[in-house]
Amino acid sequence: MPLMKNEVFLRIAGPLLVGLMVVTVWELACRLWSVPVYIFPKPTDVAASLVDQAPVLFAALWTTLRITLIAFLCAVVAGVLLAVLFVQSRFLEISLFPYAVLLQVTPIAAISPLIIILVKNTEAALILCASIVALFPIISNTTLGLKSVDQGLENLFRVNRASKWQTLTRLKIPAALPYVFGGFRISIGLALIGAVVGEFVAGTGGSGAGLAYQIMLAGFQLDIPLMFAALLLITVTGVLLFITMVGVSRLVLGSWHESAR
């Protein structure tokens, strides 16, 4: 137990210490060389901009976060269902999996303008863009997990005349959960990236604009501290989403699988 507490402390204290050192060096270097704020702002300038523009930035953050979470949920539903179909039918896997790979290797920035043109509702288009980016890790990991079931246990189910549905729900899905949550951890960060990239391409403004629009607007106005503040919010949000998914993974897997320890 003491060793576990020390490990938790190191996992928190280590990154915080490194981050504090980087921010300190950044602040001192900017002050020492008198770097203009419109070229590279100091951390204190970024913090001041974050406080001054907090209402606008956090409203934009909520827009981006809402699109990210909806896209992630869509990717989860579609990805898990496709993976189950692939495992049940070899023909479907051979026929459809290459197209999943095609979506993964095609840059979202290249196809998002077409999606935004074809889909009249801008928010729906952004959700679709983010879902496409987040989909492949869930399909790939879930398919791998469903195929990695212990052959002896599968034979045991077959000997006891378990149906395909019983084998799927009582053996394959529980055994695949570590792989599934591994895909979720990757996917939720990609959903955020897809949402931000889609916002950049769409260039939507107004009260419902996301953080990408705030970054573009700050760039046009040469308000570099505001740009850094928006980037900071995106980064922190991505880290928190990943940590949340790790926590959910450990909560679901508990102590029955070594990946949750």
Side-chain angles (χ1 to χ4, degrees), residues 10-42:
L10 288 175
R11 286 180 179 273
I12 297 174
L16 287 178
L17 181 61
V18 172
L20 182 61
M21 291 173 58
V22 170
V23 170
T24 302
V25 171
W26 176 5
E27 179 78 23
L28 293 176
C30 288
R31 291 182 181 275
L32 180 63
W33 284 295
S34 301
V35 180
V37 68
Y38 56 85
I39 293 180
F40 203 81
K42 302 184 294 294

mmCIF file of all heavy atoms in Angstrom, residues 10-42:
data_model
loop_
_atom_site.group_PDB
_atom_site.id
_atom_site.type_symbol
_atom_site.label_atom_id
_atom_site.label_comp_id
_atom_site.label_asym_id
_atom_site.label_seq_id
_atom_site.Cartn_x
_atom_site.Cartn_y
_atom_site.Cartn_z
ATOM 1 N N LEU A 10 4.126 10.173 -7.262
ATOM 2 C CA LEU A 10 5.102 10.448 -8.307
ATOM 3 C C LEU A 10 4.420 10.736 -9.647
ATOM 4 O O LEU A 10 4.867 11.597 -10.406
ATOM 5 C CB LEU A 10 6.060 9.265 -8.460
ATOM 6 C CG LEU A 10 7.079 9.079 -7.324
ATOM 7 C CD1 LEU A 10 7.892 7.807 -7.529
ATOM 8 C CD2 LEU A 10 8.002 10.287 -7.233
ATOM 9 N N ARG A 11 3.322 10.023 -9.926
ATOM 10 C CA ARG A 11 2.606 10.241 -11.180
ATOM 11 C C ARG A 11 2.024 11.653 -11.252
ATOM 12 O O ARG A 11 1.855 12.210 -12.336
ATOM 13 C CB ARG A 11 1.491 9.212 -11.337
ATOM 14 C CG ARG A 11 1.970 7.819 -11.697
ATOM 15 C CD ARG A 11 0.794 6.866 -11.835
ATOM 16 N NE ARG A 11 1.222 5.534 -12.208
ATOM 17 C CZ ARG A 11 1.407 5.109 -13.453
ATOM 18 N NH1 ARG A 11 1.181 5.954 -14.456
ATOM 19 N NH2 ARG A 11 1.791 3.887 -13.721
ATOM 20 N N ILE A 12 1.684 12.220 -10.099
ATOM 21 C CA ILE A 12 1.119 13.570 -10.072
ATOM 22 C C ILE A 12 2.217 14.618 -9.943
ATOM 23 O O ILE A 12 2.246 15.611 -10.684
ATOM 24 C CB ILE A 12 0.115 13.711 -8.910
ATOM 25 C CG1 ILE A 12 -1.065 12.754 -9.120
ATOM 26 C CG2 ILE A 12 -0.386 15.148 -8.797
ATOM 27 C CD1 ILE A 12 -2.032 12.716 -7.968
ATOM 28 N N ALA A 13 3.137 14.382 -8.999
ATOM 29 C CA ALA A 13 4.162 15.379 -8.700
ATOM 30 C C ALA A 13 5.178 15.516 -9.832
ATOM 31 O O ALA A 13 5.645 16.625 -10.129
ATOM 32 C CB ALA A 13 4.866 15.028 -7.396
ATOM 33 N N GLY A 14 5.536 14.390 -10.469
ATOM 34 C CA GLY A 14 6.539 14.428 -11.533
ATOM 35 C C GLY A 14 6.152 15.336 -12.686
ATOM 36 O O GLY A 14 6.879 16.292 -13.015
ATOM 37 N N PRO A 15 5.007 15.091 -13.340
ATOM 38 C CA PRO A 15 4.602 15.984 -14.438
ATOM 39 C C PRO A 15 4.399 17.429 -14.003
ATOM 40 O O PRO A 15 4.725 18.363 -14.754
ATOM 41 C CB PRO A 15 3.279 15.365 -14.911
ATOM 42 C CG PRO A 15 3.365 13.932 -14.508
ATOM 43 C CD PRO A 15 4.124 13.920 -13.217
ATOM 44 N N LEU A 16 3.848 17.642 -12.785
ATOM 45 C CA LEU A 16 3.653 19.014 -12.312
ATOM 46 C C LEU A 16 4.983 19.734 -12.143
ATOM 47 O O LEU A 16 5.106 20.922 -12.481
ATOM 48 C CB LEU A 16 2.889 19.009 -10.989
ATOM 49 C CG LEU A 16 1.394 18.680 -11.064
ATOM 50 C CD1 LEU A 16 0.786 18.665 -9.664
ATOM 51 C CD2 LEU A 16 0.660 19.691 -11.940
ATOM 52 N N LEU A 17 5.973 19.036 -11.620
ATOM 53 C CA LEU A 17 7.292 19.641 -11.424
ATOM 54 C C LEU A 17 7.929 20.013 -12.759
ATOM 55 O O LEU A 17 8.474 21.112 -12.915
ATOM 56 C CB LEU A 17 8.198 18.674 -10.654
ATOM 57 C CG LEU A 17 9.612 19.169 -10.340
ATOM 58 C CD1 LEU A 17 9.558 20.427 -9.475
ATOM 59 C CD2 LEU A 17 10.423 18.082 -9.642
ATOM 60 N N VAL A 18 7.845 19.095 -13.724
ATOM 61 C CA VAL A 18 8.399 19.381 -15.056
ATOM 62 C C VAL A 18 7.674 20.568 -15.693
ATOM 63 O O VAL A 18 8.307 21.472 -16.255
ATOM 64 C CB VAL A 18 8.296 18.135 -15.962
ATOM 65 C CG1 VAL A 18 8.700 18.490 -17.400
ATOM 66 C CG2 VAL A 18 9.185 17.025 -15.431
ATOM 67 N N GLY A 19 6.336 20.581 -15.593
ATOM 68 C CA GLY A 19 5.571 21.695 -16.146
ATOM 69 C C GLY A 19 5.921 23.014 -15.492
ATOM 70 O O GLY A 19 6.037 24.040 -16.174
ATOM 71 N N LEU A 20 6.096 23.013 -14.170
ATOM 72 C CA LEU A 20 6.470 24.230 -13.454
ATOM 73 C C LEU A 20 7.837 24.733 -13.899
ATOM 74 O O LEU A 20 8.035 25.948 -14.069
ATOM 75 C CB LEU A 20 6.461 23.958 -11.954
ATOM 76 C CG LEU A 20 6.781 25.140 -11.037
ATOM 77 C CD1 LEU A 20 5.757 26.256 -11.225
ATOM 78 C CD2 LEU A 20 6.824 24.696 -9.576
ATOM 79 N N MET A 21 8.769 23.810 -14.119
ATOM 80 C CA MET A 21 10.099 24.196 -14.585
ATOM 81 C C MET A 21 10.041 24.819 -15.970
ATOM 82 O O MET A 21 10.693 25.837 -16.238
ATOM 83 C CB MET A 21 11.024 22.969 -14.577
ATOM 84 C CG MET A 21 11.385 22.456 -13.190
ATOM 85 S SD MET A 21 12.312 20.906 -13.258
ATOM 86 C CE MET A 21 13.727 21.387 -14.248
ATOM 87 N N VAL A 22 9.242 24.216 -16.867
ATOM 88 C CA VAL A 22 9.126 24.743 -18.229
ATOM 89 C C VAL A 22 8.520 26.143 -18.217
ATOM 90 O O VAL A 22 9.018 27.060 -18.893
ATOM 91 C CB VAL A 22 8.268 23.791 -19.091
ATOM 92 C CG1 VAL A 22 7.930 24.442 -20.432
ATOM 93 C CG2 VAL A 22 8.992 22.476 -19.318
ATOM 94 N N VAL A 23 7.450 26.332 -17.443
ATOM 95 C CA VAL A 23 6.794 27.635 -17.371
ATOM 96 C C VAL A 23 7.736 28.683 -16.779
ATOM 97 O O VAL A 23 7.789 29.835 -17.248
ATOM 98 C CB VAL A 23 5.495 27.540 -16.546
ATOM 99 C CG1 VAL A 23 4.933 28.923 -16.248
ATOM 100 C CG2 VAL A 23 4.464 26.707 -17.275
ATOM 101 N N THR A 24 8.509 28.304 -15.761
ATOM 102 C CA THR A 24 9.454 29.234 -15.138
ATOM 103 C C THR A 24 10.536 29.663 -16.120
ATOM 104 O O THR A 24 10.853 30.862 -16.235
ATOM 105 C CB THR A 24 10.092 28.592 -13.895
ATOM 106 O OG1 THR A 24 9.063 28.215 -12.980
ATOM 107 C CG2 THR A 24 11.045 29.557 -13.215
ATOM 108 N N VAL A 25 11.117 28.688 -16.827
ATOM 109 C CA VAL A 25 12.153 29.010 -17.820
ATOM 110 C C VAL A 25 11.576 29.885 -18.929
ATOM 111 O O VAL A 25 12.203 30.845 -19.394
ATOM 112 C CB VAL A 25 12.749 27.712 -18.400
ATOM 113 C CG1 VAL A 25 13.667 28.025 -19.575
ATOM 114 C CG2 VAL A 25 13.502 26.950 -17.330
ATOM 115 N N TRP A 26 10.361 29.565 -19.373
ATOM 116 C CA TRP A 26 9.670 30.347 -20.406
ATOM 117 C C TRP A 26 9.483 31.794 -19.951
ATOM 118 O O TRP A 26 9.814 32.731 -20.690
ATOM 119 C CB TRP A 26 8.342 29.667 -20.677
ATOM 120 C CG TRP A 26 7.417 30.354 -21.637
ATOM 121 C CD1 TRP A 26 7.652 31.474 -22.376
ATOM 122 C CD2 TRP A 26 6.082 29.945 -21.941
ATOM 123 N NE1 TRP A 26 6.549 31.799 -23.115
ATOM 124 C CE2 TRP A 26 5.575 30.888 -22.883
ATOM 125 C CE3 TRP A 26 5.279 28.889 -21.522
ATOM 126 C CZ2 TRP A 26 4.278 30.780 -23.391
ATOM 127 C CZ3 TRP A 26 3.995 28.790 -22.040
ATOM 128 C CH2 TRP A 26 3.510 29.721 -22.959
ATOM 129 N N GLU A 27 9.015 32.006 -18.738
ATOM 130 C CA GLU A 27 8.792 33.351 -18.211
ATOM 131 C C GLU A 27 10.101 34.127 -18.104
ATOM 132 O O GLU A 27 10.194 35.289 -18.542
ATOM 133 C CB GLU A 27 8.118 33.251 -16.844
ATOM 134 C CG GLU A 27 7.845 34.585 -16.176
ATOM 135 C CD GLU A 27 6.644 35.300 -16.729
ATOM 136 O OE1 GLU A 27 5.760 34.632 -17.320
ATOM 137 O OE2 GLU A 27 6.562 36.538 -16.591
ATOM 138 N N LEU A 28 11.115 33.484 -17.541
ATOM 139 C CA LEU A 28 12.401 34.156 -17.347
ATOM 140 C C LEU A 28 13.066 34.486 -18.678
ATOM 141 O O LEU A 28 13.661 35.565 -18.838
ATOM 142 C CB LEU A 28 13.322 33.284 -16.496
ATOM 143 C CG LEU A 28 12.900 33.087 -15.031
ATOM 144 C CD1 LEU A 28 13.845 32.125 -14.327
ATOM 145 C CD2 LEU A 28 12.851 34.429 -14.300
ATOM 146 N N ALA A 29 12.967 33.562 -19.652
ATOM 147 C CA ALA A 29 13.591 33.804 -20.956
ATOM 148 C C ALA A 29 12.936 34.982 -21.662
ATOM 149 O O ALA A 29 13.623 35.842 -22.249
ATOM 150 C CB ALA A 29 13.504 32.547 -21.812
ATOM 151 N N CYS A 30 11.616 35.066 -21.605
ATOM 152 C CA CYS A 30 10.904 36.181 -22.250
ATOM 153 C C CYS A 30 11.256 37.513 -21.593
ATOM 154 O O CYS A 30 11.392 38.539 -22.274
ATOM 155 C CB CYS A 30 9.397 35.942 -22.186
ATOM 156 S SG CYS A 30 8.795 34.639 -23.289
ATOM 157 N N ARG A 31 11.398 37.503 -20.271
ATOM 158 C CA ARG A 31 11.766 38.738 -19.572
ATOM 159 C C ARG A 31 13.212 39.106 -19.829
ATOM 160 O O ARG A 31 13.547 40.288 -20.009
ATOM 161 C CB ARG A 31 11.516 38.582 -18.068
ATOM 162 C CG ARG A 31 10.045 38.502 -17.683
ATOM 163 C CD ARG A 31 9.860 38.409 -16.177
ATOM 164 N NE ARG A 31 8.452 38.319 -15.816
ATOM 165 C CZ ARG A 31 7.640 39.353 -15.659
ATOM 166 N NH1 ARG A 31 8.119 40.585 -15.840
ATOM 167 N NH2 ARG A 31 6.381 39.184 -15.339
ATOM 168 N N LEU A 32 14.089 38.092 -19.866
ATOM 169 C CA LEU A 32 15.520 38.360 -20.042
ATOM 170 C C LEU A 32 15.807 38.955 -21.413
ATOM 171 O O LEU A 32 16.590 39.905 -21.540
ATOM 172 C CB LEU A 32 16.312 37.066 -19.838
ATOM 173 C CG LEU A 32 17.833 37.154 -19.987
ATOM 174 C CD1 LEU A 32 18.425 38.091 -18.917
ATOM 175 C CD2 LEU A 32 18.467 35.781 -19.885
ATOM 176 N N TRP A 33 15.189 38.411 -22.442
ATOM 177 C CA TRP A 33 15.448 38.882 -23.807
ATOM 178 C C TRP A 33 14.396 39.882 -24.297
ATOM 179 O O TRP A 33 14.421 40.261 -25.477
ATOM 180 C CB TRP A 33 15.522 37.695 -24.761
ATOM 181 C CG TRP A 33 16.824 36.939 -24.637
ATOM 182 C CD1 TRP A 33 18.077 37.398 -24.927
ATOM 183 C CD2 TRP A 33 16.989 35.599 -24.167
ATOM 184 N NE1 TRP A 33 19.021 36.430 -24.676
ATOM 185 C CE2 TRP A 33 18.377 35.303 -24.205
ATOM 186 C CE3 TRP A 33 16.124 34.610 -23.718
ATOM 187 C CZ2 TRP A 33 18.887 34.086 -23.814
ATOM 188 C CZ3 TRP A 33 16.641 33.388 -23.330
ATOM 189 C CH2 TRP A 33 17.999 33.136 -23.382
ATOM 190 N N SER A 34 13.504 40.303 -23.419
ATOM 191 C CA SER A 34 12.482 41.308 -23.751
ATOM 192 C C SER A 34 11.723 40.958 -25.027
ATOM 193 O O SER A 34 11.600 41.770 -25.959
ATOM 194 C CB SER A 34 13.134 42.694 -23.890
ATOM 195 O OG SER A 34 13.784 43.062 -22.693
ATOM 196 N N VAL A 35 11.227 39.746 -25.068
ATOM 197 C CA VAL A 35 10.491 39.269 -26.243
ATOM 198 C C VAL A 35 9.146 39.996 -26.317
ATOM 199 O O VAL A 35 8.390 40.011 -25.342
ATOM 200 C CB VAL A 35 10.258 37.747 -26.165
ATOM 201 C CG1 VAL A 35 9.499 37.269 -27.398
ATOM 202 C CG2 VAL A 35 11.593 37.016 -26.046
ATOM 203 N N PRO A 36 8.834 40.625 -27.455
ATOM 204 C CA PRO A 36 7.545 41.334 -27.573
ATOM 205 C C PRO A 36 6.369 40.374 -27.406
ATOM 206 O O PRO A 36 6.424 39.228 -27.844
ATOM 207 C CB PRO A 36 7.590 41.917 -28.993
ATOM 208 C CG PRO A 36 9.030 41.946 -29.352
ATOM 209 C CD PRO A 36 9.656 40.785 -28.660
ATOM 210 N N VAL A 37 5.305 40.874 -26.804
ATOM 211 C CA VAL A 37 4.152 40.029 -26.508
ATOM 212 C C VAL A 37 3.460 39.563 -27.777
ATOM 213 O O VAL A 37 2.837 38.488 -27.805
ATOM 214 C CB VAL A 37 3.169 40.781 -25.596
ATOM 215 C CG1 VAL A 37 2.526 41.934 -26.337
ATOM 216 C CG2 VAL A 37 2.104 39.857 -25.033
ATOM 217 N N TYR A 38 3.570 40.345 -28.880
ATOM 218 C CA TYR A 38 2.921 39.965 -30.122
ATOM 219 C C TYR A 38 3.704 38.907 -30.893
ATOM 220 O O TYR A 38 3.240 38.391 -31.916
ATOM 221 C CB TYR A 38 2.684 41.186 -31.023
ATOM 222 C CG TYR A 38 3.922 41.984 -31.344
ATOM 223 C CD1 TYR A 38 4.749 41.622 -32.392
ATOM 224 C CD2 TYR A 38 4.258 43.111 -30.597
ATOM 225 C CE1 TYR A 38 5.885 42.353 -32.688
ATOM 226 C CE2 TYR A 38 5.393 43.850 -30.879
ATOM 227 C CZ TYR A 38 6.204 43.457 -31.924
ATOM 228 O OH TYR A 38 7.331 44.191 -32.204
ATOM 229 N N ILE A 39 4.915 38.572 -30.404
ATOM 230 C CA ILE A 39 5.706 37.502 -31.015
ATOM 231 C C ILE A 39 5.599 36.220 -30.188
ATOM 232 O O ILE A 39 5.269 35.148 -30.701
ATOM 233 C CB ILE A 39 7.181 37.917 -31.173
ATOM 234 C CG1 ILE A 39 7.296 39.057 -32.196
ATOM 235 C CG2 ILE A 39 8.037 36.732 -31.606
ATOM 236 C CD1 ILE A 39 8.700 39.548 -32.422
ATOM 237 N N PHE A 40 5.881 36.347 -28.907
ATOM 238 C CA PHE A 40 5.803 35.176 -28.020
ATOM 239 C C PHE A 40 5.506 35.672 -26.609
ATOM 240 O O PHE A 40 6.384 36.206 -25.935
ATOM 241 C CB PHE A 40 7.115 34.385 -28.050
ATOM 242 C CG PHE A 40 6.954 32.949 -27.641
ATOM 243 C CD1 PHE A 40 6.494 32.008 -28.552
ATOM 244 C CD2 PHE A 40 7.242 32.539 -26.350
ATOM 245 C CE1 PHE A 40 6.347 30.679 -28.183
ATOM 246 C CE2 PHE A 40 7.087 31.220 -25.977
ATOM 247 C CZ PHE A 40 6.639 30.279 -26.900
ATOM 248 N N PRO A 41 4.272 35.514 -26.146
ATOM 249 C CA PRO A 41 3.890 36.076 -24.842
ATOM 250 C C PRO A 41 4.443 35.275 -23.678
ATOM 251 O O PRO A 41 4.738 34.087 -23.798
ATOM 252 C CB PRO A 41 2.361 35.988 -24.879
ATOM 253 C CG PRO A 41 2.080 34.829 -25.760
ATOM 254 C CD PRO A 41 3.152 34.836 -26.813
ATOM 255 N N LYS A 42 4.570 35.945 -22.545
ATOM 256 C CA LYS A 42 4.986 35.280 -21.309
ATOM 257 C C LYS A 42 3.795 34.499 -20.733
ATOM 258 O O LYS A 42 2.641 34.817 -21.024
ATOM 259 C CB LYS A 42 5.484 36.311 -20.288
ATOM 260 C CG LYS A 42 6.638 37.162 -20.761
ATOM 261 C CD LYS A 42 7.132 38.082 -19.664
ATOM 262 C CE LYS A 42 6.080 39.140 -19.288
ATOM 263 N NZ LYS A 42 5.813 40.082 -20.382
#
